[in-house]
């Protein structure tokens, strides 16, 4: 079943704060839900489906349905890390197409900054079967991505300078976002001279740690027609799981190799049709590998592709993450995900900051990466447009 | 032992022979008698063909570095350990496994470097499988 054109994003909202003291996680979920529903011109009583992932407290959607006060015909707790919320859009579109619901609410919220939790959260995986074989070697999240970067450098000659180009582009966008956690522009030199966290990744190759959240409202074509707000059709969806496959680890490829072509096939588009791309950017290497795997360039040529301002809006080859991305703007709950979709919706509605708005942005791609790059991960790709 | 932290691993009926072998300074992994795959990490079935007919077999303990990172400063119990090397080592028998490279200056580690198993054992008997530079080089 194709979901092409069968569901529309009617509401999108990003919490404006990056540090949120004295609030509960569920409260932030409620605030972003209210924001996205107001953006759509809908109310809580219109919602008949609710989607959340591992950042939601308690019994997931069951706890949250009661807390928010929702009357539901459909729920979904799918947890795939940072890719969850893009997969939720796909699942919402499928549920809408199947007639299970008409107005789906998706929320993400977290407080890693003000709670002092920092990055991580691996404690939740304490009972996983791989724990005793992976968790006792000082493998920080950064180090896992650093090993992927190291292998990419070895196989393809990718350089730290090329990775730095990605941060430079994100920062050039973030300077126009008054809500961005980091709003300063940076140079390649500054990235290369920032503290080495896990060789070869520097501090400025890493995303920010922020409180915050975001929400989306996905609706049926019938509901979309009644709304005055510009609704963004879901044109293509793709998801893939990649794991270590009995020790046959391949650190230079992600699940985007599978999720990308699926989404493009459903949309009937190719990478060259994409005007704007939101690419999950937990680290600079995440972006580089994903761009290759989605087919924006040949495998191994990502370093060349991102060079010379190719990712900088509005006139680069492929403007990306015009909100400043996870590298500069926001990475709420240590898993941006939903912010990728939100900025793609802004671009398609011509509501990005004028300095970074892509002219005549007809087709946008949003991609989420969850788990650990190339080893145990979920990859979710969405292609969105202006009309069906 | 190396200077890196050891840990209280979770041993269960699926993994007991692996940990028992490490304490005897040998690396044992299950091999699938149906499709001949070496199973990593150890479990009661083969994830390639789903057979439960597995046999524990001693591995050579030799491998090469597939990728690595020098972590400047660790978290928690690893705070005072840095800089240290986290790596994936490709065993001669195939699987690429997460480990540390020890007994070598971190800056001397490189991809494809030959390594051998180090049964890193503490005074309390706790043991982890780490790797060191192969003496042949």
């Amino acid at each position: 079943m194709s979901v092409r054109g069968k569901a529309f994003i009617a509401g999108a909202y990003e919490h404006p704060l990056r540090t949120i003291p004295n609030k509960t996680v569920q409260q932030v979920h409620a605030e972003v839900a209210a924001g996205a529903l107001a953006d759509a011109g809908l109310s809580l009583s219109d919602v008949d489906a609710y989607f959340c992932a591992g950042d939601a407290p308690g019994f997931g959607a069951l706890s949250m349905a009661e807390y928010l006060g929702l009357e539901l015909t459909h729920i979904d707790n799918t947890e795939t890390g940072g890719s969850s919320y893009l997969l939720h859009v796909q699942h919402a579109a499928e549920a809408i197409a199947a007639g299970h619901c008409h107005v789906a609410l998706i929320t993400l919220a977290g407080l890693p900054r003000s709670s002092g939790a920092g990055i991580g959260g691996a404690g939740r995986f304490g009972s996983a079967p791989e724990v005793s074989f992976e968790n006792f070697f000082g493998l920080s999240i950064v180090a896992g991505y650093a090993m992927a970067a190291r292998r990419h450098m070895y196989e393809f000659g990718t350089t730290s300078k090329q990775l730095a180009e990605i941060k430079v582009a994100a920062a050039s966008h973030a300077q126009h976002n008054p809500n961005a956690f980091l709003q300063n522009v940076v140079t390649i030199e500054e990235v290369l001279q920032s503290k080495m966290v896990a060789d070869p990744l520097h501090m400025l190759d890493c995303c920010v740690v922020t409180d915050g959240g975001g929400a989306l409202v996905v609706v049926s074509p019938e509901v979309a027609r009644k709304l005055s707000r510009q609704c963004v059709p879901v044109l293509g969806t793709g998801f893939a799981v990649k794991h270590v496959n009995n020790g046959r680890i391949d650190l230079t490829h992600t699940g985007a190799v599978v999720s990308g072509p699926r989404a493009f096939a459903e949309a009937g588009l190719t990478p060259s049709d994409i005007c704007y791309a939101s690419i999950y950017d937990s680290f600079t290497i995440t972006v580089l590998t994903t761009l290759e795997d989605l087919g924006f360039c040949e495998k191994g040529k990502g370093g060349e592709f991102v060079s010379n301002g190719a990712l900088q809006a509005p006139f680069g080859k492929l403007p990306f993450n015009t909100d400043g991305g996870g590298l500069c703007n926001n990475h709420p709950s240590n898993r941006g995900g939903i912010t990728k979709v939100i900025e793609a919706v802004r671009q398609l509605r011509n509501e990005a900051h004028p300095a970074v708005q892509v002219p005549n942005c007809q087709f946008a791609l949003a991609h989420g990466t969850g788990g650990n790059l190339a080893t145990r991960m979920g990859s979710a790709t969405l292609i969105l447009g202006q009309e069906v | 032992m190396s200077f890196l932290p050891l840990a209280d691993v979770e041993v269960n009926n699926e993994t007991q022979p692996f940990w028992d072998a490490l304490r005897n300074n040998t690396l044992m992994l299950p091999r699938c008698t149906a499709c001949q795959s070496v199973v990593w990490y150890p479990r009661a079935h083969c994830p390639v063909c789903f057979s439960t007919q597995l046999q524990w077999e001693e591995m050579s303990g030799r491998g090469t570095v597939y990728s690595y990172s020098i972590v400047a400063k660790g978290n928690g119990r690893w705070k005072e350990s840095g800089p240290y090397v986290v790596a994936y080592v490709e065993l001669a028998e195939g699987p690429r496994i997460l480990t540390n490279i020890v007994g070598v200056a971190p800056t001397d580690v490189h991809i494809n470097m030959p390594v051998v198993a180090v049964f890193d054992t503490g005074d309390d008997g706790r043991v982890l499988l780490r790797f060191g530079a192969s003496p042949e080089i």
Side-chain angles (χ1 to χ4, degrees):
Chain A
M1 179 182 75
S2 168
V3 296
R4 189 184 189 287
K6 291 179 181 163
F8 292 74
I9 298 176
Y13 180 78
E14 181 182 14
H15 201 288
L17 300 181
R18 302 294 175 263
T19 307
I20 309 176
N22 305 317
K23 282 190 180 169
T24 63
V25 170
Q26 55 268 33
Q27 200 174 358
V28 181
H29 275 278
E31 288 180 2
V32 295
L37 287 165
D39 182 51
L42 291 165
S43 68
L44 204 65
S45 59
D46 295 312
V47 174
D48 57 5
Y50 176 66
F51 295 68
C52 62
D55 56 278
F59 211 147
L62 290 184
S63 292
M64 290 304 297
E66 176 178 296
Y67 175 78
L68 293 170
L70 296 168
E71 294 280 337
L72 302 174
T73 59
H74 187 83
I75 62 167
D76 188 326
N77 273 315
T78 304
E79 163 65 2
T80 63
S83 60
S84 302
Y85 319 91
L86 294 95
L87 182 54
H88 290 168
V89 172
Q90 176 181 337
H91 287 179
E94 289 164 359
I96 287 167
H100 297 319
C101 55
H102 293 93
V103 177
L105 171 67
I106 305 167
T107 65
L108 168 151
L111 303 167
R113 185 150 205 95
S114 57
S115 72
I119 59 168
R124 286 180 35 249
F125 303 104
S127 60
E130 70 273 13
V131 162
S132 287
F133 300 95
E134 296 184 0
N135 282 30
F136 302 125
F137 299 101
L139 177 72
S140 60
I141 290 173
V142 192
Y145 284 73
M147 284 195 282
R150 169 71 68 206
R151 186 71 197 183
H152 204 283
M153 290 173 170
Y154 172 79
E155 287 190 22
F156 305 116
T158 307
T159 65
S160 290
K161 185 168 174 284
Q162 290 169 334
L163 292 177
E165 292 261 14
I166 294 164
K167 168 72 177 186
V168 168
S172 77
H173 301 153
Q175 67 176 314
H176 304 293
N177 181 352
N179 294 331
F181 185 73
L182 302 173
Q183 296 174 25
N184 57 306
V185 295
V186 299
T187 63
I188 288 173
E189 279 311 304
E190 284 169 324
V191 178
L192 298 180
Q193 282 164 17
S194 65
K195 195 177 76 177
M196 193 66 92
V197 180
D199 180 47
L201 295 181
H202 306 77
M203 181 68 89
L204 294 187
D205 286 299
C206 306
C207 65
V208 298
V209 175
T210 49
D211 296 342
L216 298 166
V217 179
V218 184
V219 303
S220 64
E222 297 73 35
V223 173
R225 271 195 291 276
K226 291 183 199 146
L227 298 173
S228 53
R229 190 73 163 114
Q230 181 189 340
C231 294
V232 167
V234 177
L235 300 180
T237 61
F239 181 76
V241 178
K242 183 174 187 250
H243 55 64
V244 304
N245 190 21
N246 196 33
R248 293 174 180 80
I249 287 171
D250 163 17
L251 283 180
T252 58
H253 290 82
T254 71
V257 168
V258 174
S259 69
R262 279 185 189 160
F264 280 115
E266 188 171 42
L269 297 171
T270 66
S272 62
D273 294 314
I274 299 301
C275 313
Y276 163 81
S278 281
I279 305 292
Y280 201 85
D281 55 345
S282 44
F283 301 93
T284 51
I285 184 63
T286 319
V287 177
L288 188 128
T289 312
T290 304
L291 287 170
E292 294 175 347
D293 292 347
L294 289 173
F296 286 106
C297 64
E298 201 183 313
K299 188 67 203 174
K301 303 281 191 207
E304 273 173 49
F305 182 82
V306 302
S307 293
N308 304 313
L311 301 180
Q312 291 192 31
F315 301 117
K317 220 174 348 180
L318 181 69
F320 100 125
N321 298 9
T322 39
D323 59 335
L327 289 168
C328 300
N329 169 32
N330 197 9
H331 196 61
S333 196
N334 293 321
R335 38 165 66 188
I338 210 159
T339 56
K340 296 288 160 279
V341 185
I342 294 169
E343 183 65 6
V345 169
R346 288 193 194 108
Q347 280 286 349
L348 290 164
R349 284 172 164 173
N350 205 29
E351 292 175 359
H353 189 280
V356 294
Q357 175 65 48
V358 176
N360 189 27
C361 185
Q362 215 185 341
F363 299 113
L365 177 146
H367 184 85
T369 303
N372 297 302
L373 195 70
T375 54
R376 191 172 293 106
M377 69 178 305
S379 294
T381 310
L382 291 178
I383 296 172
L384 308 171
Q386 288 194 334
E387 48 196 46
V388 178
Chain B
M1 64 174 283
S2 77
F3 295 100
L4 299 180
L6 293 168
D8 294 313
V9 296
E10 188 200 292
V11 181
N12 57 42
N13 68 299
E14 292 186 275
T15 63
Q16 180 88 47
F18 173 84
W19 297 107
D20 287 348
L22 284 197
R23 270 187 291 278
N24 292 321
N25 289 358
T26 53
L27 171 56
M28 301 276 285
L29 288 179
R31 186 186 286 278
C32 174
T33 61
C35 76
Q36 307 306 315
S37 298
V38 173
V39 175
W40 178 259
Y41 48 87
R43 67 198 82 172
H45 67 270
C46 168
V48 178
C49 74
F50 215 43
S51 166
T52 54
Q53 301 304 306
L54 307 183
Q55 240 166 16
W56 287 88
E57 181 178 310
E58 185 172 352
M59 301 287 117
S60 66
R62 287 195 301 273
T64 53
V65 173
Y66 169 72
S67 194
Y68 70 96
S69 174
I70 305 170
V71 180
K73 189 175 181 172
N75 301 314
R77 295 195 306 125
W78 289 74
K79 228 170 204 155
E80 310 303 323
S81 304
Y84 59 91
V85 178
V86 177
Y88 281 109
V89 162
E90 180 176 316
L91 299 179
E93 292 81 3
R96 292 170 177 165
I97 72 175
L98 191 71
T99 188
N100 300 117
I101 307 298
V102 294
V104 186
T107 48
D108 286 344
V109 175
H110 55 89
I111 287 179
N112 283 342
M113 173 177 163
V115 290
V116 290
V118 170
F119 303 96
D120 203 357
T121 309
D123 297 336
D124 54 8
R126 295 188 299 179
V127 60
L128 282 178
L129 176 62
R130 292 179 163 131
F131 285 80
S134 172
E136 288 94 307
I137 55 160

